[in-house]
Amino acid sequence: MRATAIAQPNIALIKYWGKRDLERNLPAVGSISITLRDLFTEMQVELDERLTADTLAVNGSVDETMLPRLSACLDLVVGRVRPRASVVSRCNFPVAAGLASSASAFAATTVAAAHAAGKSLGVAALANLAGRSSGSAARSLYGGFAELENRESEIAVSTLCESDQWPLSVVIAITETGPKAVGSTEAMEISRKTSPFYANWVERQDDDLQTARDAIRQRDFEQLAAIAEHNCLKMHSVMWASRPPIVYWNSVTMRCLQTVRKLQGGGAGVFFTIDAGPQVKAICLPEHVQEVRAALAATEGVIDIMESGLGDAARLVEVS
Ligand code: 2P0
């Protein structure tokens, strides 16, 4: 059986950083994200009794590094006793560079694998399975503004606002290409075990979530901007104070933040966020997207610019 699904990456405005349960991959804190429209990962999963091992090709090249996590994801969705799978992935943005490629990859894999195995699962069950493979993947099962809730014993996601109800734009400044030095799973554990700021980060997260929920409900861009930037800088402070320190930024990352500050000073509706990588995501009101794009493109050292609106949930595109 073969099935293909598409999922979009999501960008957290209130961040997931830290796990309460490594085995079940339960986040220590809730998070709120926006799902993108114009960046995508497509996953085709074919289960075949004749195969002796799982295989993965990403954009036409064999990929061995992602394979163990992919096989574990297939075990979760299809079952441990299963036919091997041939998986073909297409992605229109850099992988493993802090652009949430694992979120869209595992969300799409979960949907495709469930259909290839003939399982009919609801979105909550799919999100639960995707989240066990990669916490942020659970959010890509939903469109628009999604909250990965702070639950003690399960992964649960809900929609706060659909993409067309508050159609913000996102401009992404690529400051470096190539995979990141430390994967987020490992980095989160280093932070949990060693950062003196970690306990405070976890303790204050519910307040930040509530502020962001209120801002989204009231479509209050300024309030959302203030809490998202604060939450982002707090997460990176947790990382910077870890031992060894985890620093995903480079000098161009910092320059992009200065560009965003200048744009804000000139009255543009824009704010920044940065994930486990050096890229800067500028979330803006659609009427300011050209100005934001031009300013970031002109920032010294920026390699490339990507742009996206807000998009919808992961979905099946073909089953045969
Ligand atoms: C987020 N990140 O909320 C945060 C902000 C990165 C920085 O979720 O270990 O790849 O696979 O559950 O989902 C990246 O973490 O981590 C992430 P795992 P994941 O988007």
Side-chain angles (χ1 to χ4, degrees):
M1 291 275 276
R2 189 171 77 183
T4 307
I6 281 190
Q8 268 82 237
N10 66 75
I11 292 175
L13 305 182
I14 303 297
K15 309 291 190 186
Y16 150 44
W17 197 254
K19 296 174 196 285
R20 73 168 74 231
D21 182 332
L22 205 52
E23 175 67 27
R24 290 183 294 166
N25 205 33
L26 293 175
V29 292
S31 55
I32 292 177
S33 64
I34 43 178
T35 300
L36 302 183
R37 182 188 62 205
D38 303 285
L39 277 57
F40 71 85
T41 302
E42 183 187 270
M43 285 284 185
Q44 183 192 78
V45 175
E46 181 163 16
L47 298 169
D48 187 340
E49 297 286 358
R50 294 166 303 178
L51 293 173
T52 54
D54 294 331
T55 60
L56 171 66
V58 179
N59 290 336
S61 303
V62 172
D63 185 333
E64 299 279 351
T65 47
M66 260 274 279
L67 199 53
R69 279 183 83 187
L70 184 83
S71 294
C73 175
L74 294 169
D75 288 349
L76 274 174
V77 180
V78 183
R80 289 189 70 82
V81 180
R82 62 171 172 86
R84 297 298 101 187
S86 158
V87 181
V88 178
S89 169
R90 263 187 340 115
C91 181
N92 71 341
F93 60 96
V95 282
L99 284 179
S101 58
S102 68
S104 51
F106 286 111
T109 301
T110 301
V111 174
H115 282 90
K119 295 193 173 188
S120 122
L121 299 173
V123 65
L126 290 167
N128 212 291
L129 288 165
R132 286 185 64 185
S133 295
S134 185
S136 55
R139 300 188 308 235
S140 278
L141 261 300
Y142 293 75
F145 292 74
E147 176 169 355
L148 174 52
E149 293 168 14
N150 180 14
R151 298 264 185 104
E152 274 190 20
S153 56
E154 60 176 353
I155 292 167
V157 186
S158 55
T159 301
L160 297 176
C161 172
E162 300 291 350
S163 56
D164 57 355
Q165 291 175 335
W166 199 13
L168 301 179
S169 298
V170 181
V171 176
I172 302 171
I174 308 289
T175 67
E176 205 175 302
T177 52
K180 53 193 167 200
V182 194
S184 23
T185 306
E186 185 188 346
M188 282 186 210
E189 279 301 283
I190 295 172
S191 292
R192 183 178 67 81
K193 288 177 186 155
T194 69
S195 179
F197 303 153
Y198 182 79
N200 184 272
W201 158 256
V202 172
E203 193 185 308
R204 301 299 298 272
Q205 186 79 342
D206 284 347
D207 293 344
D208 290 5
L209 287 164
Q210 189 55 48
T211 305
R213 263 184 235 121
D214 290 345
I216 293 163
R217 196 178 54 244
Q218 293 157 11
R219 313 286 191 268
D220 184 337
F221 189 82
E222 273 185 29
Q223 184 174 324
L224 185 62
I227 195 64
E229 288 190 353
H230 172 67
N231 190 265
C232 165
L233 293 174
K234 238 176 11 181
M235 178 187 74
H236 286 279
S237 303
V238 170
M239 294 185 204
W240 283 34
S242 299
R243 291 185 161 176
I246 301 151
V247 180
Y248 285 115
W249 300 18
N250 60 36
S251 55
V252 188
T253 312
M254 194 66 216
R255 251 182 248 137
C256 289
L257 297 201
Q258 287 165 340
T259 297
V260 171
R261 281 283 177 265
K262 253 189 228 154
L263 286 161
Q264 289 169 333
V270 60
F271 65 88
F272 65 77
T273 194
I274 305 158
D275 292 299
Q279 328 304 359
V280 175
K281 290 103 179 202
I283 290 82
C284 51
L285 295 171
E287 57 267 35
H288 295 138
V289 70
Q290 290 314 326
E291 182 187 358
V292 170
R293 186 186 176 117
L296 283 170
T299 300
E300 192 189 338
V302 168
I303 297 167
D304 199 6
I305 293 284
M306 305 184 91
E307 195 182 311
S308 180
L310 303 194
D312 298 325
R315 62 212 167 270
L316 183 72
V317 287
E318 194 185 24
V319 63
S320 57

